[in-house]
Amino acid sequence: MKIQKSLFLLLFFAVSCTKNDIPTCVDDVALFSLADFPIGVAVSPFELESNSAYRQIVVEQFNRITPGNVFKPDALQPLENDFSFEIADSLVAFANANGKQIHGHTLLWHNQLPSWMNNFSGNRDEWISMMETHIKTVVAHFGNQVKSWDVVNEAFEDNGDFRANIWYQNIGEEYLKLAFELAHEANPDAILFYNDFNIAAKPKKCEAILNHFKKLKNEGVPVHGIGLQLHIFNATPSENKIENAVKAIVNEGFQVHFSEIDISMNLSGGNMQLTDNKLQKQGERMKLLTDIFQNIPENQQFGMTIWGVSDLDSWIPSFFGREDYPLLYDENYEPKPMYCGFLEGLTER
Ligand code: XIL
């Protein structure tokens, strides 16, 4: 691995050095071949099927896949006790055929729930039983084809309070502990994550999450890792804040997943001017994230996952209603300086 990396480094800088810190670069080397940990990407099976440029990048550059939407509760259990695995299974088949791991996302959340689940009425025991059916059926269905899961997504508010989602309202804070135990019962080999946004940007949120999961871990609950989504901007949160959050998580012995990386440039919303300077900054930011990740002790590095393939596929513009360019590839599926920053960060090790 090291020899391969130094050879590549030589070639890379021989052909592509520019006056800037981040060289222009070509994507004829696989990102995952440069890393000692998995390099993931969120994908849509529909794009994989219909878009050959998209598929080629996924196949060539990444060795782990997170389903962007098709493992969410509304996709997998659209009607009560009526599970729908066909599309998810097609993604698993793609992953198996191409030697990619799958990271399951997500068993519980407050968004993308089927309406019957949102409107479920029952006492606490009935809620627990409904949650148990969902978690156990899904985890057992995939078995060891899906070796890791986001068990609970976004359960805390930025101020550290529990989010008052349907699970919290009907079961109470114990739903978190129960969810991890149920997932573990259904697949004792799976690596189980708590996943959230703003963990680095909001220290109170980070503290609340760590206090809660540290307590559960000490009680023997199978919580193995924390996913920092990292939907971030070119300039915020600061390097310091990201490092502090990562250190705190590492110190508690959890695995770390940079689980949903994208880097926005448009802080003010609406339209924006895409400049070389902004693209350059985005590349430096990606390199910084890669450096921070590689400073994590190796046995706690779960992986780095990018939330989509090209700027064309990003959820940011439609979800937040702003122009933006947050991903590694441009709208023509050409690598951007952000790709080069990632590659440079991985290569320098
Ligand atoms: C996003 C998907 O990318 C979009 O396609 C969908 O419309 C909304 O959800 N945090 C998460 C992800 O954990 O599941 C979200 O994915 C982005 C924010």
Side-chain angles (χ1 to χ4, degrees), residues 246-271:
V246 169
K247 257 188 220 142
I249 296 169
V250 164
N251 286 344
E252 296 306 335
F254 291 109
Q255 297 208 34
V256 182
H257 188 193
F258 284 4
S259 57
E260 304 186 12
I261 298 168
D262 46 36
I263 305 177
S264 289
M265 304 180 211
N266 187 356
L267 253 182
S268 46
N271 294 339

PDB file of all heavy atoms in Angstrom, residues 246-271:
ATOM      1  N   VAL A 246     -14.336  15.375  17.099  1.00  0.00           N
ATOM      2  CA  VAL A 246     -13.773  14.068  16.759  1.00  0.00           C
ATOM      3  C   VAL A 246     -12.969  13.516  17.941  1.00  0.00           C
ATOM      4  O   VAL A 246     -13.095  12.340  18.313  1.00  0.00           O
ATOM      5  CB  VAL A 246     -12.893  14.171  15.484  1.00  0.00           C
ATOM      6  CG1 VAL A 246     -12.078  12.912  15.261  1.00  0.00           C
ATOM      7  CG2 VAL A 246     -13.777  14.462  14.264  1.00  0.00           C
ATOM      8  N   LYS A 247     -12.178  14.383  18.564  1.00  0.00           N
ATOM      9  CA  LYS A 247     -11.369  13.940  19.715  1.00  0.00           C
ATOM     10  C   LYS A 247     -12.247  13.413  20.838  1.00  0.00           C
ATOM     11  O   LYS A 247     -11.970  12.372  21.443  1.00  0.00           O
ATOM     12  CB  LYS A 247     -10.554  15.127  20.252  1.00  0.00           C
ATOM     13  CG  LYS A 247      -9.107  15.067  19.822  1.00  0.00           C
ATOM     14  CD  LYS A 247      -8.273  16.136  20.531  1.00  0.00           C
ATOM     15  CE  LYS A 247      -7.286  16.723  19.543  1.00  0.00           C
ATOM     16  NZ  LYS A 247      -7.074  18.159  19.680  1.00  0.00           N
ATOM     17  N   ALA A 248     -13.326  14.151  21.120  1.00  0.00           N
ATOM     18  CA  ALA A 248     -14.217  13.747  22.217  1.00  0.00           C
ATOM     19  C   ALA A 248     -14.821  12.371  21.933  1.00  0.00           C
ATOM     20  O   ALA A 248     -14.913  11.516  22.825  1.00  0.00           O
ATOM     21  CB  ALA A 248     -15.315  14.797  22.406  1.00  0.00           C
ATOM     22  N   ILE A 249     -15.197  12.143  20.691  1.00  0.00           N
ATOM     23  CA  ILE A 249     -15.806  10.848  20.326  1.00  0.00           C
ATOM     24  C   ILE A 249     -14.757   9.734  20.403  1.00  0.00           C
ATOM     25  O   ILE A 249     -15.004   8.652  20.937  1.00  0.00           O
ATOM     26  CB  ILE A 249     -16.417  10.928  18.902  1.00  0.00           C
ATOM     27  CG1 ILE A 249     -17.566  11.953  18.885  1.00  0.00           C
ATOM     28  CG2 ILE A 249     -16.910   9.575  18.448  1.00  0.00           C
ATOM     29  CD1 ILE A 249     -18.072  12.314  17.500  1.00  0.00           C
ATOM     30  N   VAL A 250     -13.573  10.036  19.894  1.00  0.00           N
ATOM     31  CA  VAL A 250     -12.485   9.061  19.931  1.00  0.00           C
ATOM     32  C   VAL A 250     -12.140   8.695  21.376  1.00  0.00           C
ATOM     33  O   VAL A 250     -11.957   7.523  21.725  1.00  0.00           O
ATOM     34  CB  VAL A 250     -11.236   9.615  19.189  1.00  0.00           C
ATOM     35  CG1 VAL A 250      -9.989   8.815  19.529  1.00  0.00           C
ATOM     36  CG2 VAL A 250     -11.484   9.619  17.685  1.00  0.00           C
ATOM     37  N   ASN A 251     -12.089   9.708  22.246  1.00  0.00           N
ATOM     38  CA  ASN A 251     -11.725   9.459  23.648  1.00  0.00           C
ATOM     39  C   ASN A 251     -12.710   8.539  24.361  1.00  0.00           C
ATOM     40  O   ASN A 251     -12.343   7.873  25.330  1.00  0.00           O
ATOM     41  CB  ASN A 251     -11.625  10.769  24.428  1.00  0.00           C
ATOM     42  CG  ASN A 251     -10.372  11.523  24.046  1.00  0.00           C
ATOM     43  OD1 ASN A 251      -9.457  10.940  23.446  1.00  0.00           O
ATOM     44  ND2 ASN A 251     -10.334  12.818  24.354  1.00  0.00           N
ATOM     45  N   GLU A 252     -13.946   8.515  23.900  1.00  0.00           N
ATOM     46  CA  GLU A 252     -14.922   7.610  24.520  1.00  0.00           C
ATOM     47  C   GLU A 252     -14.881   6.218  23.906  1.00  0.00           C
ATOM     48  O   GLU A 252     -15.690   5.355  24.233  1.00  0.00           O
ATOM     49  CB  GLU A 252     -16.342   8.190  24.424  1.00  0.00           C
ATOM     50  CG  GLU A 252     -16.542   9.482  25.187  1.00  0.00           C
ATOM     51  CD  GLU A 252     -16.139   9.384  26.664  1.00  0.00           C
ATOM     52  OE1 GLU A 252     -16.155   8.258  27.211  1.00  0.00           O
ATOM     53  OE2 GLU A 252     -15.793  10.424  27.240  1.00  0.00           O
ATOM     54  N   GLY A 253     -13.967   6.017  22.955  1.00  0.00           N
ATOM     55  CA  GLY A 253     -13.755   4.669  22.422  1.00  0.00           C
ATOM     56  C   GLY A 253     -14.695   4.282  21.286  1.00  0.00           C
ATOM     57  O   GLY A 253     -14.738   3.112  20.891  1.00  0.00           O
ATOM     58  N   PHE A 254     -15.453   5.241  20.744  1.00  0.00           N
ATOM     59  CA  PHE A 254     -16.358   4.897  19.643  1.00  0.00           C
ATOM     60  C   PHE A 254     -15.617   4.900  18.304  1.00  0.00           C
ATOM     61  O   PHE A 254     -14.662   5.645  18.111  1.00  0.00           O
ATOM     62  CB  PHE A 254     -17.493   5.931  19.548  1.00  0.00           C
ATOM     63  CG  PHE A 254     -18.458   5.865  20.697  1.00  0.00           C
ATOM     64  CD1 PHE A 254     -18.488   6.861  21.665  1.00  0.00           C
ATOM     65  CD2 PHE A 254     -19.344   4.794  20.804  1.00  0.00           C
ATOM     66  CE1 PHE A 254     -19.382   6.802  22.723  1.00  0.00           C
ATOM     67  CE2 PHE A 254     -20.248   4.731  21.867  1.00  0.00           C
ATOM     68  CZ  PHE A 254     -20.260   5.738  22.823  1.00  0.00           C
ATOM     69  N   GLN A 255     -16.121   4.102  17.361  1.00  0.00           N
ATOM     70  CA  GLN A 255     -15.676   4.238  15.975  1.00  0.00           C
ATOM     71  C   GLN A 255     -16.250   5.531  15.406  1.00  0.00           C
ATOM     72  O   GLN A 255     -17.317   5.984  15.833  1.00  0.00           O
ATOM     73  CB  GLN A 255     -16.169   3.062  15.147  1.00  0.00           C
ATOM     74  CG  GLN A 255     -15.590   1.757  15.617  1.00  0.00           C
ATOM     75  CD  GLN A 255     -15.493   0.754  14.482  1.00  0.00           C
ATOM     76  OE1 GLN A 255     -15.248   1.106  13.325  1.00  0.00           O
ATOM     77  NE2 GLN A 255     -15.679  -0.499  14.814  1.00  0.00           N
ATOM     78  N   VAL A 256     -15.551   6.102  14.446  1.00  0.00           N
ATOM     79  CA  VAL A 256     -15.999   7.367  13.866  1.00  0.00           C
ATOM     80  C   VAL A 256     -16.303   7.177  12.380  1.00  0.00           C
ATOM     81  O   VAL A 256     -15.482   6.641  11.627  1.00  0.00           O
ATOM     82  CB  VAL A 256     -14.907   8.462  14.007  1.00  0.00           C
ATOM     83  CG1 VAL A 256     -15.413   9.782  13.438  1.00  0.00           C
ATOM     84  CG2 VAL A 256     -14.509   8.630  15.469  1.00  0.00           C
ATOM     85  N   HIS A 257     -17.490   7.612  11.994  1.00  0.00           N
ATOM     86  CA  HIS A 257     -17.860   7.612  10.572  1.00  0.00           C
ATOM     87  C   HIS A 257     -18.108   9.055  10.155  1.00  0.00           C
ATOM     88  O   HIS A 257     -18.945   9.728  10.753  1.00  0.00           O
ATOM     89  CB  HIS A 257     -19.147   6.785  10.384  1.00  0.00           C
ATOM     90  CG  HIS A 257     -19.529   6.554   8.946  1.00  0.00           C
ATOM     91  ND1 HIS A 257     -20.767   6.068   8.597  1.00  0.00           N
ATOM     92  CD2 HIS A 257     -18.843   6.719   7.777  1.00  0.00           C
ATOM     93  CE1 HIS A 257     -20.832   5.954   7.263  1.00  0.00           C
ATOM     94  NE2 HIS A 257     -19.680   6.342   6.757  1.00  0.00           N
ATOM     95  N   PHE A 258     -17.362   9.551   9.170  1.00  0.00           N
ATOM     96  CA  PHE A 258     -17.741  10.812   8.518  1.00  0.00           C
ATOM     97  C   PHE A 258     -18.778  10.380   7.488  1.00  0.00           C
ATOM     98  O   PHE A 258     -18.431   9.931   6.397  1.00  0.00           O
ATOM     99  CB  PHE A 258     -16.527  11.481   7.858  1.00  0.00           C
ATOM    100  CG  PHE A 258     -15.580  12.175   8.818  1.00  0.00           C
ATOM    101  CD1 PHE A 258     -15.771  12.114  10.196  1.00  0.00           C
ATOM    102  CD2 PHE A 258     -14.501  12.928   8.343  1.00  0.00           C
ATOM    103  CE1 PHE A 258     -14.899  12.770  11.075  1.00  0.00           C
ATOM    104  CE2 PHE A 258     -13.626  13.586   9.217  1.00  0.00           C
ATOM    105  CZ  PHE A 258     -13.832  13.501  10.581  1.00  0.00           C
ATOM    106  N   SER A 259     -20.054  10.488   7.846  1.00  0.00           N
ATOM    107  CA  SER A 259     -21.056   9.649   7.188  1.00  0.00           C
ATOM    108  C   SER A 259     -21.784  10.274   6.008  1.00  0.00           C
ATOM    109  O   SER A 259     -22.352   9.557   5.191  1.00  0.00           O
ATOM    110  CB  SER A 259     -22.081   9.192   8.222  1.00  0.00           C
ATOM    111  OG  SER A 259     -22.675  10.323   8.850  1.00  0.00           O
ATOM    112  N   GLU A 260     -21.827  11.604   5.922  1.00  0.00           N
ATOM    113  CA  GLU A 260     -22.640  12.221   4.849  1.00  0.00           C
ATOM    114  C   GLU A 260     -21.973  13.508   4.347  1.00  0.00           C
ATOM    115  O   GLU A 260     -22.601  14.558   4.266  1.00  0.00           O
ATOM    116  CB  GLU A 260     -24.050  12.539   5.375  1.00  0.00           C
ATOM    117  CG  GLU A 260     -24.778  11.338   5.944  1.00  0.00           C
ATOM    118  CD  GLU A 260     -26.229  11.609   6.326  1.00  0.00           C
ATOM    119  OE1 GLU A 260     -26.770  12.667   5.944  1.00  0.00           O
ATOM    120  OE2 GLU A 260     -26.816  10.752   6.999  1.00  0.00           O
ATOM    121  N   ILE A 261     -20.706  13.406   3.985  1.00  0.00           N
ATOM    122  CA  ILE A 261     -19.960  14.628   3.665  1.00  0.00           C
ATOM    123  C   ILE A 261     -20.503  15.329   2.422  1.00  0.00           C
ATOM    124  O   ILE A 261     -20.680  14.719   1.361  1.00  0.00           O
ATOM    125  CB  ILE A 261     -18.474  14.286   3.401  1.00  0.00           C
ATOM    126  CG1 ILE A 261     -17.828  13.683   4.655  1.00  0.00           C
ATOM    127  CG2 ILE A 261     -17.709  15.526   2.920  1.00  0.00           C
ATOM    128  CD1 ILE A 261     -16.465  13.062   4.394  1.00  0.00           C
ATOM    129  N   ASP A 262     -20.807  16.600   2.573  1.00  0.00           N
ATOM    130  CA  ASP A 262     -20.901  17.513   1.432  1.00  0.00           C
ATOM    131  C   ASP A 262     -20.471  18.881   1.914  1.00  0.00           C
ATOM    132  O   ASP A 262     -20.564  19.192   3.106  1.00  0.00           O
ATOM    133  CB  ASP A 262     -22.272  17.523   0.734  1.00  0.00           C
ATOM    134  CG  ASP A 262     -23.464  17.597   1.652  1.00  0.00           C
ATOM    135  OD1 ASP A 262     -23.380  18.278   2.690  1.00  0.00           O
ATOM    136  OD2 ASP A 262     -24.506  16.996   1.327  1.00  0.00           O
ATOM    137  N   ILE A 263     -19.953  19.698   0.995  1.00  0.00           N
ATOM    138  CA  ILE A 263     -19.394  20.998   1.377  1.00  0.00           C
ATOM    139  C   ILE A 263     -20.076  22.085   0.553  1.00  0.00           C
ATOM    140  O   ILE A 263     -19.798  22.242  -0.642  1.00  0.00           O
ATOM    141  CB  ILE A 263     -17.866  21.033   1.179  1.00  0.00           C
ATOM    142  CG1 ILE A 263     -17.194  19.868   1.942  1.00  0.00           C
ATOM    143  CG2 ILE A 263     -17.308  22.382   1.655  1.00  0.00           C
ATOM    144  CD1 ILE A 263     -15.686  19.774   1.751  1.00  0.00           C
ATOM    145  N   SER A 264     -20.981  22.802   1.210  1.00  0.00           N
ATOM    146  CA  SER A 264     -21.723  23.863   0.534  1.00  0.00           C
ATOM    147  C   SER A 264     -20.888  25.134   0.473  1.00  0.00           C
ATOM    148  O   SER A 264     -19.973  25.335   1.270  1.00  0.00           O
ATOM    149  CB  SER A 264     -23.013  24.164   1.298  1.00  0.00           C
ATOM    150  OG  SER A 264     -23.916  23.095   1.149  1.00  0.00           O
ATOM    151  N   MET A 265     -21.255  26.004  -0.497  1.00  0.00           N
ATOM    152  CA  MET A 265     -20.538  27.276  -0.610  1.00  0.00           C
ATOM    153  C   MET A 265     -21.476  28.439  -0.423  1.00  0.00           C
ATOM    154  O   MET A 265     -21.041  29.570  -0.301  1.00  0.00           O
ATOM    155  CB  MET A 265     -19.929  27.391  -2.001  1.00  0.00           C
ATOM    156  CG  MET A 265     -19.043  26.253  -2.358  1.00  0.00           C
ATOM    157  SD  MET A 265     -18.412  26.556  -4.024  1.00  0.00           S
ATOM    158  CE  MET A 265     -18.231  24.907  -4.577  1.00  0.00           C
ATOM    159  N   ASN A 266     -22.763  28.188  -0.443  1.00  0.00           N
ATOM    160  CA  ASN A 266     -23.732  29.277  -0.495  1.00  0.00           C
ATOM    161  C   ASN A 266     -24.404  29.475   0.860  1.00  0.00           C
ATOM    162  O   ASN A 266     -25.443  28.891   1.144  1.00  0.00           O
ATOM    163  CB  ASN A 266     -24.770  28.949  -1.574  1.00  0.00           C
ATOM    164  CG  ASN A 266     -25.714  30.095  -1.811  1.00  0.00           C
ATOM    165  OD1 ASN A 266     -25.653  31.116  -1.135  1.00  0.00           O
ATOM    166  ND2 ASN A 266     -26.604  29.916  -2.763  1.00  0.00           N
ATOM    167  N   LEU A 267     -23.775  30.319   1.674  1.00  0.00           N
ATOM    168  CA  LEU A 267     -24.274  30.560   3.039  1.00  0.00           C
ATOM    169  C   LEU A 267     -25.551  31.391   3.048  1.00  0.00           C
ATOM    170  O   LEU A 267     -26.383  31.255   3.946  1.00  0.00           O
ATOM    171  CB  LEU A 267     -23.204  31.327   3.828  1.00  0.00           C
ATOM    172  CG  LEU A 267     -22.442  30.571   4.897  1.00  0.00           C
ATOM    173  CD1 LEU A 267     -21.478  31.516   5.599  1.00  0.00           C
ATOM    174  CD2 LEU A 267     -23.363  29.909   5.907  1.00  0.00           C
ATOM    175  N   SER A 268     -25.699  32.258   2.036  1.00  0.00           N
ATOM    176  CA  SER A 268     -26.795  33.225   2.134  1.00  0.00           C
ATOM    177  C   SER A 268     -28.071  32.778   1.425  1.00  0.00           C
ATOM    178  O   SER A 268     -29.091  33.455   1.493  1.00  0.00           O
ATOM    179  CB  SER A 268     -26.338  34.576   1.604  1.00  0.00           C
ATOM    180  OG  SER A 268     -25.668  34.395   0.386  1.00  0.00           O
ATOM    181  N   GLY A 269     -28.042  31.637   0.743  1.00  0.00           N
ATOM    182  CA  GLY A 269     -29.245  31.148   0.075  1.00  0.00           C
ATOM    183  C   GLY A 269     -29.429  31.769  -1.298  1.00  0.00           C
ATOM    184  O   GLY A 269     -28.631  32.589  -1.739  1.00  0.00           O
ATOM    185  N   GLY A 270     -30.483  31.366  -1.996  1.00  0.00           N
ATOM    186  CA  GLY A 270     -30.761  31.916  -3.323  1.00  0.00           C
ATOM    187  C   GLY A 270     -29.697  31.514  -4.337  1.00  0.00           C
ATOM    188  O   GLY A 270     -29.144  30.417  -4.277  1.00  0.00           O
ATOM    189  N   ASN A 271     -29.381  32.453  -5.236  1.00  0.00           N
ATOM    190  CA  ASN A 271     -28.370  32.162  -6.252  1.00  0.00           C
ATOM    191  C   ASN A 271     -26.983  32.531  -5.754  1.00  0.00           C
ATOM    192  O   ASN A 271     -26.834  33.278  -4.794  1.00  0.00           O
ATOM    193  CB  ASN A 271     -28.667  32.934  -7.534  1.00  0.00           C
ATOM    194  CG  ASN A 271     -29.961  32.440  -8.164  1.00  0.00           C
ATOM    195  OD1 ASN A 271     -30.405  31.323  -7.879  1.00  0.00           O
ATOM    196  ND2 ASN A 271     -30.560  33.268  -8.991  1.00  0.00           N
TER     197      ASN A 271
END
